[in-house]
Amino acid sequence: VASCPWDENLFATAGEDETARVWRDESGAGNGGRVVPHGVCRGHKDEVTRVAWHPTMRVLASGSADGGVAVWKVAQPGFGEAANAHDPQETSVARVDVLGPHAGEVYGLAFIGDTSGGSPVLATAAGTDLRLWDLETVTELVCVAPVKHDLSGSDTAVNKTKNNPPNRWEPGYLFSLSSDSGKRNLLASGCSDGTVKLFGCDGGGSTASAVASIPNHPNALAAATCFLPGGDLLASAGSDKTVVITDVRMSHRCVRKIHTPVVVMGLCAVPSGDDGGGWLAMVGSDGVVRCTPGEGGGKSAALRQFGDDEKNKTPVPLLCVASNKDGTAIFAAGSTHAAVASPTKPTGGGPFSLGSIKGQGTKKPEPAEIFIWQAR
């Protein structure tokens, strides 16, 4: 799930039904917390695994287990311009480019480089490699193998070819991709071998190189990464039920380790709107969004799917979490049980109110649900 940075009412989701979907949150328009479909991105041949918005352009990228990446133009509600002026069936979203194929499932997407008007560049993580794509020319700029940690402690770079696709459980398989939003032009990916691979890009996003391999989760899988607000701290979540925060200013030294009651599947940074370090949000199988101060000081908070009068209900296990750009809304998604939470049912208290929508699809994937907590 990803919140749109240029329209606070839009967000996108990736689905097992081979689609990405764009939704419009009309809760602030006097519609009783209603969330409505804005557009459906069809064309992938396998489940969609990741979605990412361009920071300023009306563009959405979707990555799939089929090894492909699609780029979509998205019409902004209320501005009258269609996504495709030549096709009345594509007024809201229209596919403009296809990137790939990649060697393996695409588990990471991030727009990088100069976002103020230059040619947009998309970074993709698939298999064991990072790739940069120029969206104006629809060409691959560079393919970078990560730094590999071996048992002797030495670091080497390894490549895979399209004729020899990587196995997702081999060391170095990339499962995420996060950007520091241009602070140092760094990208981070959690890997199957428990390390976090760090890549450095130039200011324009035309080149990249492997920087480091950080062994944050020995004998475990690192499934998610995110840079905290400000870009100085990097968080990673592992299957060892830990979230490790490292300081990129101090040779990636661990500055904090959080032990969680469940395996954390998704992470995101939540801006605080002040001079503080913001928040780190974490989700897992117990359906709770745990928020902890990014700098480590102060109290933590927990966002729950049900209020105090609904404690007997079974929460939906959550797989991913996202925040809007000013931290006033948090989105989380996961697989449902037989019982589904009542749509737009508010919680009993706390700084956020909760709404939810049932997933839709054309295949027969695992049903999904999306939860939205709004700041009060």
Side-chain angles (χ1 to χ4, degrees), residues 196 198 214-216 226-228 231-236 243-257:
V196 174
L198 208 60
I214 313 170
N216 282 354
C226 78
F227 285 90
L228 296 179
D232 294 330
L233 300 178
L234 170 63
S236 64
V243 173
V244 178
I245 299 177
T246 56
D247 193 327
V248 299
R249 299 165 297 183
M250 304 169 62
S251 300
H252 324 299
R253 182 173 66 86
C254 175
V255 295
R256 188 181 178 196
K257 180 177 285 190

Side-chain angles (χ1 to χ4, degrees), residues 24 57 75 117 146 149 152 191 202 280-281 299 309 355 357 366 372:
R24 190 167 65 251
M57 299 176 67
H149 245 86
S152 66
C191 299
D202 70 337
L280 174 65
K299 294 182 178 180
D309 58 338
I357 54 177
E366 182 74 17
I372 307 170

Side-chain angles (χ1 to χ4, degrees), residues 305 316 318 330-334 341 354-357 369-373:
Q305 298 171 18
V316 175
L318 298 175
I330 293 177
F331 306 79
L354 168 67
S356 67
I357 54 177
E369 190 168 1
I370 304 150
F371 295 91
I372 307 170
W373 287 264

Side-chain angles (χ1 to χ4, degrees), residues 3 18 35 41 63 156 260 284 306 322:
S3 175
E18 303 176 359
V35 175
C41 305
T156 57
T260 57
F306 308 112

Side-chain angles (χ1 to χ4, degrees), residues 125-217:
T128 58
D129 297 328
L130 174 83
R131 287 177 166 82
L132 303 185
W133 300 84
D134 186 320
L135 298 191
E136 189 171 284
T137 60
V138 198
T139 56
E140 182 181 307
L141 297 174
V142 65
C143 176
V144 184
V147 171
K148 180 182 179 182
H149 245 86
D150 59 30
L151 295 178
S152 66
S154 62
D155 291 338
T156 57
V158 293
N159 275 299
K160 284 286 181 179
T161 67
K162 294 179 180 179
N163 295 325
N164 184 26
N167 183 294
R168 69 166 62 183
W169 303 120
E170 74 172 75
Y173 198 98
L174 307 178
F175 277 108
S176 67
L177 193 63
S178 55
S179 167
D180 68 352
S181 301
K183 178 69 179 289
R184 295 177 179 82
N185 298 312
L186 294 176
L187 295 168
S189 179
C191 299
S192 56
D193 57 9
T195 63
V196 174
K197 307 301 183 186
L198 208 60
F199 302 88
C201 306
D202 70 337
S206 59
T207 62
S209 59
V211 173
S213 177
I214 313 170
N216 282 354
H217 306 278

Side-chain angles (χ1 to χ4, degrees), residues 22-343:
V22 181
W23 304 87
R24 190 167 65 251
D25 182 3
E26 297 184 345
S27 58
N31 293 309
R34 186 174 66 168
V35 175
V36 298
H38 182 69
V40 182
C41 305
R42 293 187 172 92
H44 287 292
K45 304 302 181 184
D46 205 335
E47 67 177 286
V48 177
T49 54
R50 296 290 186 270
V51 286
W53 294 95
H54 190 278
T56 58
M57 299 176 67
R58 304 327 189 225
V59 171
L60 174 73
S62 59
S64 172
D66 64 11
V69 171
V71 181
W72 311 83
K73 182 179 179 182
V74 180
Q76 188 171 13
F79 282 78
E81 182 182 355
N84 186 343
H86 305 288
D87 190 340
Q89 301 300 316
E90 296 183 331
T91 57
S92 298
V93 296
R95 191 173 65 182
V96 293
D97 288 319
V98 176
L99 311 175
H102 293 76
E105 299 100 326
V106 178
Y107 278 111
L109 298 171
F111 285 96
I112 63 171
D114 181 11
T115 59
S116 61
S119 178
V121 176
L122 179 67
T124 62
T128 58
D129 297 328
L130 174 83
R131 287 177 166 82
L132 303 185
W133 300 84
D134 186 320
L135 298 191
E136 189 171 284
T137 60
V138 198
T139 56
E140 182 181 307
L141 297 174
V142 65
C143 176
V144 184
V147 171
K148 180 182 179 182
H149 245 86
D150 59 30
L151 295 178
S152 66
S154 62
D155 291 338
T156 57
V158 293
N159 275 299
K160 284 286 181 179
T161 67
K162 294 179 180 179
N163 295 325
N164 184 26
N167 183 294
R168 69 166 62 183
W169 303 120
E170 74 172 75
Y173 198 98
L174 307 178
F175 277 108
S176 67
L177 193 63
S178 55
S179 167
D180 68 352
S181 301
K183 178 69 179 289
R184 295 177 179 82
N185 298 312
L186 294 176
L187 295 168
S189 179
C191 299
S192 56
D193 57 9
T195 63
V196 174
K197 307 301 183 186
L198 208 60
F199 302 88
C201 306
D202 70 337
S206 59
T207 62
S209 59
V211 173
S213 177
I214 313 170
N216 282 354
H217 306 278
N219 302 313
L221 181 147
T225 54
C226 78
F227 285 90
L228 296 179
D232 294 330
L233 300 178
L234 170 63
S236 64
S239 59
D240 54 0
K241 296 184 180 181
T242 67
V243 173
V244 178
I245 299 177
T246 56
D247 193 327
V248 299
R249 299 165 297 183
M250 304 169 62
S251 300
H252 324 299
R253 182 173 66 86
C254 175
V255 295
R256 188 181 178 196
K257 180 177 285 190
I258 303 169
H259 295 272
T260 57
V262 297
V263 174
V264 170
M265 299 299 297
L267 295 171
C268 80
V270 183
S272 62
D274 53 30
D275 295 332
W279 295 74
L280 174 65
M282 306 168 279
V283 296
S285 61
D286 61 357
V288 178
V289 181
R290 291 177 170 83
C291 299
T292 183
E295 299 290 350
K299 294 182 178 180
S300 298
L303 306 180
R304 302 182 185 277
Q305 298 171 18
F306 308 112
D308 292 338
D309 58 338
E310 301 173 299
K311 288 183 177 181
N312 293 330
K313 289 190 175 182
T314 302
V316 175
L318 298 175
L319 298 173
C320 54
V321 63
S323 167
N324 65 354
K325 66 178 182 180
D326 56 6
T328 58
I330 293 177
F331 306 79
S335 59
T336 62
H337 296 291
V340 179
S342 302

